[in-house]
Protein backbone atom coordinates (compact mmCIF):
# COMPACT_ATOMS: atom_id res chain seq x y z
CA UNK A 1 0.00 0.00 0.00
CA UNK A 2 1.30 3.45 -0.91
CA UNK A 3 0.49 6.71 0.90
CA UNK A 4 1.11 10.24 -0.40
CA UNK A 5 1.74 13.13 1.99
CA UNK A 6 1.95 16.71 0.74
CA UNK A 7 5.39 18.24 1.16
CA UNK A 8 3.92 21.23 2.98
CA UNK A 9 2.50 18.86 5.63
CA UNK A 10 5.83 17.05 6.08
CA UNK A 11 6.80 19.38 8.93
CA UNK A 12 6.39 16.99 11.85
CA UNK A 13 2.64 17.16 12.19
CA UNK A 14 2.25 13.72 10.57
CA UNK A 15 5.48 12.20 11.85
CA UNK A 16 3.72 9.91 14.32
CA UNK A 17 1.51 8.18 11.74
CA UNK A 18 3.99 5.31 11.11
CA UNK A 19 4.08 4.31 14.77
CA UNK A 20 0.31 3.78 14.74
CA UNK A 21 0.29 1.72 11.53
CA UNK A 22 -0.05 -2.03 11.90
CA UNK A 23 -0.41 -2.64 8.17
CA UNK A 24 2.35 -2.24 5.56
CA UNK A 25 2.49 1.20 3.94
CA UNK A 26 5.09 2.90 1.79
CA UNK A 27 5.01 6.65 2.43
CA UNK A 28 5.99 9.14 -0.28
CA UNK A 29 6.25 12.90 0.28
CA UNK A 30 5.14 14.80 -2.81
CA UNK A 31 5.40 18.44 -3.90
CA UNK A 32 1.89 19.26 -5.08
CA UNK A 33 3.12 22.35 -6.94
CA UNK A 34 4.68 19.97 -9.48
CA UNK A 35 1.52 18.68 -11.15
CA UNK A 36 3.36 16.27 -13.43
CA UNK A 37 5.08 14.63 -10.45
CA UNK A 38 1.81 14.59 -8.53
CA UNK A 39 0.04 12.94 -11.46
CA UNK A 40 2.70 10.22 -11.64
CA UNK A 41 2.59 9.65 -7.88
CA UNK A 42 -1.20 9.40 -7.82
CA UNK A 43 -1.08 6.67 -10.44
CA UNK A 44 0.50 4.32 -7.91
CA UNK A 45 -1.05 5.65 -4.67
CA UNK A 46 -3.80 4.04 -2.62
CA UNK A 47 -4.34 6.97 -0.24
CA UNK A 48 -3.37 10.60 0.20
CA UNK A 49 -3.34 12.81 3.29
CA UNK A 50 -4.25 16.40 2.50
CA UNK A 51 -6.46 19.19 3.82
CA UNK A 52 -7.01 20.53 0.31
CA UNK A 53 -7.83 19.22 -3.15
CA UNK A 54 -8.10 21.49 -6.18
CA UNK A 55 -6.75 19.24 -8.95
CA UNK A 56 -8.26 17.45 -11.92
CA UNK A 57 -5.73 14.73 -12.71
CA UNK A 58 -6.49 11.54 -14.67
CA UNK A 59 -4.41 9.30 -12.42
CA UNK A 60 -6.40 10.35 -9.34
CA UNK A 61 -9.02 7.79 -10.37
CA UNK A 62 -6.80 5.14 -8.78
CA UNK A 63 -6.93 6.79 -5.35
CA UNK A 64 -9.06 4.90 -2.84
CA UNK A 65 -8.90 7.34 0.09
CA UNK A 66 -8.42 11.08 0.55
CA UNK A 67 -7.77 11.41 4.28
CA UNK A 68 -7.97 14.87 5.80
CA UNK A 69 -5.71 15.36 8.83
CA UNK A 70 -8.28 17.79 10.25
CA UNK A 71 -11.99 18.46 10.33
CA UNK A 72 -12.68 21.29 7.87
CA UNK A 73 -13.61 20.41 4.28
CA UNK A 74 -13.88 23.96 2.92
CA UNK A 75 -10.64 23.57 0.91
CA UNK A 76 -11.84 20.42 -0.85
CA UNK A 77 -13.29 20.77 -4.36
CA UNK A 78 -15.51 17.71 -4.12
CA UNK A 79 -16.31 17.83 -7.83
CA UNK A 80 -12.65 17.23 -8.67
CA UNK A 81 -12.16 14.29 -6.33
CA UNK A 82 -12.99 11.07 -8.21
CA UNK A 83 -16.30 9.58 -7.15
CA UNK A 84 -14.54 6.28 -6.46
CA UNK A 85 -12.36 7.94 -3.82
CA UNK A 86 -13.63 7.96 -0.24
CA UNK A 87 -13.16 11.27 1.60
CA UNK A 88 -12.69 11.11 5.37
CA UNK A 89 -11.75 13.72 7.95
CA UNK A 90 -10.68 13.53 11.58
CA UNK A 91 -11.27 15.55 14.71
CA UNK A 92 -9.46 15.39 18.06
CA UNK A 93 -9.25 19.20 18.19
CA UNK A 94 -12.37 19.66 20.27
CA UNK A 95 -10.61 19.22 23.62
CA UNK A 96 -8.10 22.01 23.06
CA UNK A 97 -10.67 24.33 21.53
CA UNK A 98 -13.12 23.82 24.39
CA UNK A 99 -10.39 24.55 26.94
CA UNK A 100 -9.46 27.67 24.96
CA UNK A 101 -13.08 28.86 24.99
CA UNK A 102 -13.49 28.48 28.74
CA UNK A 103 -10.04 29.93 29.40
CA UNK A 104 -10.76 32.98 27.28
CA UNK A 105 -14.16 33.46 28.93
CA UNK A 106 -12.49 33.37 32.33
CA UNK A 107 -9.88 35.88 31.20
CA UNK A 108 -12.58 38.13 29.77
CA UNK A 109 -14.66 37.95 32.94
CA UNK A 110 -11.94 38.10 35.60
CA UNK A 111 -9.15 39.99 33.84
CA UNK A 112 -6.25 38.11 35.42
CA UNK A 113 -3.65 39.60 33.06
CA UNK A 114 -4.82 43.13 33.81
CA UNK A 115 -4.82 42.53 37.56
CA UNK A 116 -1.31 41.07 37.37
CA UNK A 117 0.04 44.02 35.38
CA UNK A 118 -1.59 46.57 37.66
CA UNK A 119 -0.42 44.84 40.81
CA UNK A 120 3.17 44.61 39.53
CA UNK A 121 2.99 48.37 39.05
CA UNK A 122 1.91 48.85 42.68
CA UNK A 123 -1.87 49.13 42.27
CA UNK A 124 -4.32 47.26 44.50
CA UNK A 125 -7.20 48.06 42.12
CA UNK A 126 -9.57 45.14 41.80
CA UNK A 127 -9.03 43.94 45.36
CA UNK A 128 -11.55 43.80 48.19
CA UNK A 129 -9.82 46.87 49.59
CA UNK A 130 -10.95 49.29 46.92
CA UNK A 131 -12.58 47.44 44.00
CA UNK A 132 -13.85 47.38 41.34
CA UNK A 133 -15.34 43.88 41.39
CA UNK A 134 -14.90 41.46 38.49
CA UNK A 135 -17.54 39.18 37.05
CA UNK A 136 -18.37 35.48 37.31
CA UNK A 137 -19.28 32.89 34.70
CA UNK A 138 -21.66 31.23 37.15
CA UNK A 139 -25.28 31.84 36.16
CA UNK A 140 -24.44 33.40 32.78
CA UNK A 141 -26.07 32.11 29.60
CA UNK A 142 -23.79 30.64 26.96
CA UNK A 143 -25.32 30.20 23.51
CA UNK A 144 -23.60 27.65 21.28
CA UNK A 145 -24.23 27.81 17.54
CA UNK A 146 -23.45 24.41 16.06
CA UNK A 147 -23.47 21.33 18.25
CA UNK A 148 -20.90 18.95 16.89
CA UNK A 149 -17.84 17.76 18.75
CA UNK A 150 -16.58 21.24 19.62
CA UNK A 151 -19.97 22.52 20.70
CA UNK A 152 -20.57 19.54 22.99
CA UNK A 153 -17.15 19.78 24.63
CA UNK A 154 -17.71 23.50 25.26
CA UNK A 155 -21.15 22.75 26.69
CA UNK A 156 -19.80 20.16 29.13
CA UNK A 157 -17.22 22.56 30.51
CA UNK A 158 -19.61 25.50 30.63
CA UNK A 159 -22.17 23.46 32.56
CA UNK A 160 -19.46 22.51 35.06
CA UNK A 161 -18.99 26.23 35.73
CA UNK A 162 -22.68 26.59 36.49
CA UNK A 163 -23.52 28.33 33.23
CA UNK A 164 -26.87 28.01 31.51
CA UNK A 165 -26.35 26.33 28.13
CA UNK A 166 -28.62 26.92 25.12
CA UNK A 167 -27.92 25.63 21.64
CA UNK A 168 -29.09 25.99 18.07
CA UNK A 169 -27.91 23.62 15.39
CA UNK A 170 -28.88 22.32 11.97
CA UNK A 171 -29.56 18.82 13.34
CA UNK A 172 -31.11 19.28 16.80
CA UNK A 173 -31.24 16.35 19.18
CA UNK A 174 -32.42 16.29 22.75
CA UNK A 175 -29.58 16.79 25.22
CA UNK A 176 -31.15 17.20 28.65
CA UNK A 177 -27.93 16.14 30.40
CA UNK A 178 -26.00 19.24 29.36
CA UNK A 179 -27.97 21.86 27.45
CA UNK A 180 -31.16 23.39 28.78
CA UNK A 181 -32.43 23.74 25.22
CA UNK A 182 -31.33 22.50 21.80
CA UNK A 183 -33.18 24.25 18.97
CA UNK A 184 -33.00 24.08 15.20
CA UNK A 185 -31.59 27.10 13.39
CA UNK A 186 -35.06 28.60 13.58
CA UNK A 187 -34.14 29.37 17.18
CA UNK A 188 -31.08 31.40 16.14
CA UNK A 189 -32.66 34.77 16.91
CA UNK A 190 -33.88 33.61 20.30
CA UNK A 191 -30.41 32.38 21.21
CA UNK A 192 -28.83 35.68 20.18
CA UNK A 193 -31.27 37.68 22.26
CA UNK A 194 -30.69 35.82 25.54
CA UNK A 195 -26.99 34.87 25.51
CA UNK A 196 -24.22 36.57 27.46
CA UNK A 197 -21.62 34.66 25.45
CA UNK A 198 -22.17 33.30 21.93
CA UNK A 199 -19.82 30.55 20.76
CA UNK A 200 -19.47 30.00 17.01
CA UNK A 201 -18.65 26.36 16.19
CA UNK A 202 -20.40 25.22 12.95
CA UNK A 203 -18.56 24.20 9.78
CA UNK A 204 -18.14 26.73 6.99
CA UNK A 205 -20.48 25.98 4.10
CA UNK A 206 -23.04 27.73 1.92
CA UNK A 207 -25.56 27.77 4.76
CA UNK A 208 -23.23 29.22 7.41
CA UNK A 209 -21.15 31.69 5.39
CA UNK A 210 -22.09 35.16 6.63
CA UNK A 211 -24.53 33.71 9.18
CA UNK A 212 -23.59 36.45 11.63
CA UNK A 213 -24.46 39.61 9.71
CA UNK A 214 -25.71 43.06 10.73
CA UNK A 215 -29.13 41.64 11.62
CA UNK A 216 -27.56 39.04 13.88
CA UNK A 217 -25.50 41.64 15.74
CA UNK A 218 -28.59 43.85 16.08
CA UNK A 219 -30.36 40.93 17.78
CA UNK A 220 -27.59 40.40 20.35
CA UNK A 221 -27.54 41.90 23.81
CA UNK A 222 -25.48 45.08 24.04
CA UNK A 223 -23.08 43.53 26.55
CA UNK A 224 -22.84 40.13 24.78
CA UNK A 225 -19.47 38.69 23.73
CA UNK A 226 -19.08 36.59 20.58
CA UNK A 227 -16.39 33.89 20.39
CA UNK A 228 -15.36 32.52 16.97
CA UNK A 229 -13.39 29.26 16.99
CA UNK A 230 -14.84 27.87 13.73
CA UNK A 231 -14.02 29.76 10.52
CA UNK A 232 -13.70 33.50 9.97
CA UNK A 233 -16.21 33.90 7.10
CA UNK A 234 -19.06 32.49 9.19
CA UNK A 235 -19.10 36.01 10.60
CA UNK A 236 -19.42 38.90 8.17
CA UNK A 237 -16.10 40.72 8.51
CA UNK A 238 -17.33 44.30 8.18
CA UNK A 239 -20.47 43.72 10.24
CA UNK A 240 -18.37 42.35 13.11
CA UNK A 241 -15.91 45.23 13.00
CA UNK A 242 -18.67 47.84 12.97
CA UNK A 243 -20.57 46.18 15.83
CA UNK A 244 -17.40 46.23 17.95
CA UNK A 245 -16.14 49.68 16.95
CA UNK A 246 -19.56 51.22 17.58
CA UNK A 247 -19.99 49.32 20.88
CA UNK A 248 -23.21 47.71 19.73
CA UNK A 249 -22.03 44.48 21.36
CA UNK A 250 -19.81 43.97 24.37
CA UNK A 251 -16.84 42.40 22.64
CA UNK A 252 -15.34 39.53 20.71
CA UNK A 253 -12.85 36.72 21.22
CA UNK A 254 -11.51 35.81 17.78
CA UNK A 255 -9.23 32.89 16.95
CA UNK A 256 -10.08 32.40 13.26
CA UNK A 257 -9.58 35.02 10.56
CA UNK A 258 -10.05 36.28 7.04
CA UNK A 259 -6.43 36.53 5.89
CA UNK A 260 -3.64 34.04 6.58
CA UNK A 261 0.07 33.92 5.74
CA UNK A 262 1.44 30.86 3.91
CA UNK A 263 1.77 27.76 6.09
CA UNK A 264 5.04 27.72 8.01
CA UNK A 265 5.31 31.52 7.97
CA UNK A 266 5.36 33.19 11.42
CA UNK A 267 4.81 36.70 10.04
CA UNK A 268 2.27 37.92 7.55
CA UNK A 269 -0.40 40.50 6.78
CA UNK A 270 -2.96 41.76 9.24
CA UNK A 271 -5.61 39.04 9.61
CA UNK A 272 -8.42 41.29 8.44
CA UNK A 273 -9.06 44.21 6.12
CA UNK A 274 -10.20 46.11 9.22
CA UNK A 275 -8.07 47.19 12.23
CA UNK A 276 -9.42 44.82 14.87
CA UNK A 277 -6.06 45.14 16.63
CA UNK A 278 -6.88 48.77 17.47
CA UNK A 279 -10.05 47.87 19.38
CA UNK A 280 -9.93 47.44 23.15
CA UNK A 281 -12.99 45.16 23.26
CA UNK A 282 -11.37 42.35 21.28
CA UNK A 283 -9.24 39.43 22.47
CA UNK A 284 -7.50 38.10 19.36
CA UNK A 285 -5.30 35.03 18.84
CA UNK A 286 -3.69 33.54 15.68
CA UNK A 287 -5.82 30.42 15.12
CA UNK A 288 -4.14 28.78 18.10
CA UNK A 289 -7.03 27.29 20.06
CA UNK A 290 -6.61 23.70 18.83
CA UNK A 291 -2.82 23.71 18.53
CA UNK A 292 -2.03 21.81 21.73
CA UNK A 293 0.59 19.24 22.66
CA UNK A 294 -2.12 16.56 22.74
CA UNK A 295 -3.59 17.26 19.31
CA UNK A 296 -0.99 15.71 17.01
CA UNK A 297 -0.73 12.31 18.75
CA UNK A 298 -4.52 11.98 18.69
CA UNK A 299 -4.81 13.04 15.04
CA UNK A 300 -1.91 10.85 13.89
CA UNK A 301 -3.61 7.87 15.52
CA UNK A 302 -6.90 8.78 13.82
CA UNK A 303 -5.26 9.04 10.39
CA UNK A 304 -3.43 5.74 10.90
CA UNK A 305 -6.65 4.06 12.01
CA UNK A 306 -8.29 4.73 8.64
CA UNK A 307 -5.18 3.66 6.73
CA UNK A 308 -5.17 0.39 8.66
CA UNK A 309 -8.87 -0.08 7.95
CA UNK A 310 -8.36 0.61 4.24
CA UNK A 311 -5.52 -1.91 4.05
CA UNK A 312 -7.62 -4.57 5.79
CA UNK A 313 -10.75 -3.85 3.76
CA UNK A 314 -12.68 -2.68 6.83
CA UNK A 315 -15.26 0.15 6.93
CA UNK A 316 -13.70 3.59 7.20
CA UNK A 317 -14.53 6.03 10.00
CA UNK A 318 -15.40 9.74 9.84
CA UNK A 319 -16.60 9.37 6.27
CA UNK A 320 -17.47 12.71 4.69
CA UNK A 321 -18.25 11.20 1.30
CA UNK A 322 -18.34 7.49 0.62
CA UNK A 323 -16.67 6.04 -2.46
CA UNK A 324 -18.87 4.90 -5.30
CA UNK A 325 -18.14 1.40 -6.64
CA UNK A 326 -15.77 1.43 -9.57
CA UNK A 327 -17.49 0.79 -12.87
CA UNK A 328 -16.52 -2.44 -14.54
CA UNK A 329 -15.77 -2.41 -18.27
CA UNK A 330 -18.72 -3.67 -20.29
CA UNK A 331 -18.29 -7.26 -21.36
CA UNK A 332 -18.50 -8.01 -25.04
CA UNK A 333 -21.39 -10.13 -26.22
Amino acid sequence: MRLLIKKIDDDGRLSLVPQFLDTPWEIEVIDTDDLAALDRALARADAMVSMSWQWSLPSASNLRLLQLPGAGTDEIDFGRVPSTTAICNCYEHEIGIAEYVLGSLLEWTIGTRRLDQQFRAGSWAGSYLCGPRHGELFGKTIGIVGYGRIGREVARRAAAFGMRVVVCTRTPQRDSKIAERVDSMEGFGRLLAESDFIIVTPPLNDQTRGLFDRRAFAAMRREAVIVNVARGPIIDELALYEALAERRIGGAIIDVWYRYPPQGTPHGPQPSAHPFHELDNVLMTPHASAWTDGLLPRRNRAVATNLNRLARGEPLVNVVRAAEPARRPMERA
Side-chain angles (χ1 to χ4, degrees):
M1 302 288 284
R2 181 182 288 267
L3 171 68
L4 296 185
I5 294 179
K6 289 169 60 177
K7 182 177 180 180
I8 197 170
D9 292 326
D10 188 37
D11 58 358
R13 69 185 63 195
L14 295 171
S15 62
L16 299 179
V17 167
Q19 78 178 47
F20 295 119
L21 291 172
D22 54 29
T23 52
W25 284 86
E26 181 181 345
I27 299 176
E28 179 180 355
V29 177
I30 185 71
D31 184 354
T32 53
D33 290 334
D34 186 342
L35 290 184
L38 175 60
D39 194 39
R40 290 193 298 271
L42 283 169
R44 56 184 185 272
D46 298 284
M48 182 169 179
V49 177
S50 177
M51 280 300 292
S52 62
W53 187 283
Q54 304 294 329
W55 313 289
S56 294
L57 297 172
S59 60
S61 60
N62 297 318
L63 199 68
R64 298 167 59 191
L65 169 64
L66 174 60
Q67 175 66 56
L68 279 63
T73 61
D74 44 290
E75 295 182 23
I76 302 296
D77 187 336
F78 285 84
R80 294 188 178 190
V81 182
S83 61
T84 52
T85 302
I87 303 174
C88 299
N89 64 354
C90 68
Y91 300 92
E92 310 303 335
H93 58 319
E94 57 271 18
I95 294 173
I97 293 178
E99 291 184 0
Y100 169 94
V101 169
L102 267 295
S104 62
L105 294 188
L106 286 168
E107 173 58 35
W108 188 276
T109 303
I110 298 173
T112 307
R113 291 183 306 164
R114 183 189 69 253
L115 291 171
D116 171 74
Q117 292 167 0
Q118 292 173 347
F119 194 47
R120 289 173 185 269
S123 172
W124 287 77
S127 72
Y128 80 97
L129 299 170
C130 55
R133 292 170 291 180
H134 61 73
E136 298 178 344
L137 293 183
F138 182 83
K140 297 293 192 302
T141 296
I142 184 170
I144 302 174
V145 180
Y147 207 44
R149 294 173 184 249
I150 297 172
R152 290 181 182 276
E153 291 295 328
V154 171
R156 291 188 184 99
R157 287 158 177 77
F161 276 83
M163 302 184 77
R164 173 177 175 254
V165 179
V166 295
V167 174
C168 68
T169 182
R170 185 173 55 87
T171 54
Q173 295 179 352
R174 187 169 180 174
D175 186 20
S176 58
K177 292 183 179 180
I178 305 173
E180 177 181 303
R181 190 179 73 244
V182 179
D183 290 334
S184 69
M185 291 305 294
E186 292 181 358
F188 183 54
R190 181 183 177 189
L191 179 146
L192 296 177
E194 63 185 307
S195 297
D196 299 292
F197 299 99
I198 298 167
I199 317 301
V200 183
T201 73
L204 175 63
N205 52 42
D206 291 340
Q207 289 71 46
T208 61
R209 187 179 298 273
L211 176 65
F212 287 84
D213 54 14
R214 286 186 173 89
R215 290 177 299 175
F217 290 116
M220 289 170 55
R221 301 175 62 181
R222 196 169 187 86
E223 64 275 17
V225 175
I226 189 166
V227 183
N228 193 1
V229 289
R231 288 290 187 269
I234 295 173
I235 302 180
D236 182 274
E237 187 176 6
L238 178 58
L240 173 60
Y241 178 78
E242 290 177 343
L244 292 165
E246 297 169 10
R247 304 277 176 175
R248 288 188 270 113
I249 63 173
I253 298 167
I254 312 171
D255 187 52
V256 289
W257 294 94
Y258 306 92
R259 295 175 176 174
Y260 283 79
Q263 187 171 314
T265 305
H267 302 287
Q270 289 294 336
S272 169
H274 307 289
F276 284 93
H277 60 283
E278 297 178 359
L279 302 178
D280 63 1
N281 56 348
V282 177
L283 177 62
M284 50 194 296
T285 53
H287 205 142
S289 59
W291 205 239
T292 68
D293 55 9
L295 174 69
L296 295 186
R298 291 194 298 268
R299 278 197 169 167
N300 277 245
R301 183 187 294 274
V303 168
T305 293
N306 255 358
L307 295 173
N308 288 328
R309 285 176 171 269
L310 183 70
R312 290 194 290 259
E314 298 172 355
L316 301 173
V317 296
N318 298 325
V319 176
V320 176
R321 192 195 73 184
E324 294 181 359
R327 295 181 179 178
R328 297 179 178 179
M330 294 182 64
E331 296 182 0
R332 294 186 179 183

